Amino acid sequence: MSENVGIIVMTHGDFGKAAMESAQLIVGQQDNYDTVSVFVVDDVEQLKQELFDKVNQLDTSNGLILFTDIVGGTPTNLASELLTREDALVVAGVNLPILLEVFTNCTKDIQSLKEIITSTYNQGLSVRTNEDMEGEDDDEYSL
């Protein structure tokens, strides 16, 4: 039995798989998660069954978070069918900062994770222009 919340990343194409690979590159190998890739040629009923099968293979005793890419898309619509569960969250707009925060806090309860996700999303956007770079040391952004 896992102490971690169960996680599904369901996105158009292989975006979710790539995001998980990137997250694990930073925080290390994770468990109790799976991904579902959605392609134009996929049958929606088969995708739904795949999603439900993968959820059933996870330990969701501490909750379930379903990350999707865009509101209104097939992944979000299918994931939302699992909101009949009181311990489930569907988070549309998955990005790397959110995955990192969830994986570093995955033993927390679902309500705490909801607050962490919301906070991370609100703080995670930064739009910069060349005007922001004026007067800054060039070495600050070198690898």
Side-chain angles (χ1 to χ4, degrees):
M1 188 169 189
S2 176
E3 292 181 22
N4 299 351
V5 64
I7 295 173
I8 295 283
V9 182
M10 185 175 193
T11 62
H12 291 89
D14 287 329
F15 173 67
K17 286 181 182 180
M20 287 302 305
E21 289 174 9
S22 296
Q24 292 181 101
L25 179 70
I26 297 168
V27 296
Q29 184 65 38
Q30 299 298 306
D31 62 0
N32 206 31
Y33 82 90
D34 211 333
T35 63
V36 179
S37 298
V38 177
F39 295 94
V40 174
V41 296
D42 289 336
D43 176 84
V44 174
E45 286 304 314
Q46 287 178 342
L47 282 171
K48 181 178 175 181
Q49 188 60 52
E50 178 183 356
L51 171 63
F52 280 56
D53 289 347
K54 288 186 175 189
V55 167
N56 288 333
Q57 292 173 7
L58 297 176
D59 178 357
T60 60
S61 57
N62 290 324
L64 172 66
I65 301 176
L66 300 119
F67 289 106
T68 65
D69 47 9
I70 55 175
V71 175
T74 300
T76 304
N77 294 340
L78 289 174
S80 294
E81 293 196 26
L82 287 159
L83 288 176
T84 55
R85 299 172 52 128
E86 291 183 19
D87 63 347
L89 295 177
V90 174
V91 180
V94 66
N95 61 40
L96 190 55
I98 289 174
L99 288 176
L100 296 175
E101 282 297 324
V102 168
F103 284 129
T104 57
N105 291 284
C106 59
T107 59
K108 293 189 177 181
D109 66 87
I110 201 78
Q111 185 59 40
S112 296
L113 287 168
K114 179 182 175 186
E115 292 169 13
I116 289 168
I117 291 166
T118 302
S119 175
T120 302
Y121 188 81
N122 290 333
Q123 296 172 15
L125 179 66
S126 174
V127 178
R128 300 189 71 175
T129 68
N130 65 335
E131 293 172 357
D132 298 317
M133 301 299 287
E134 290 179 12
E136 291 189 13
D137 186 5
D138 290 340
D139 293 336
E140 183 178 337
Y141 299 101
S142 62
L143 297 176

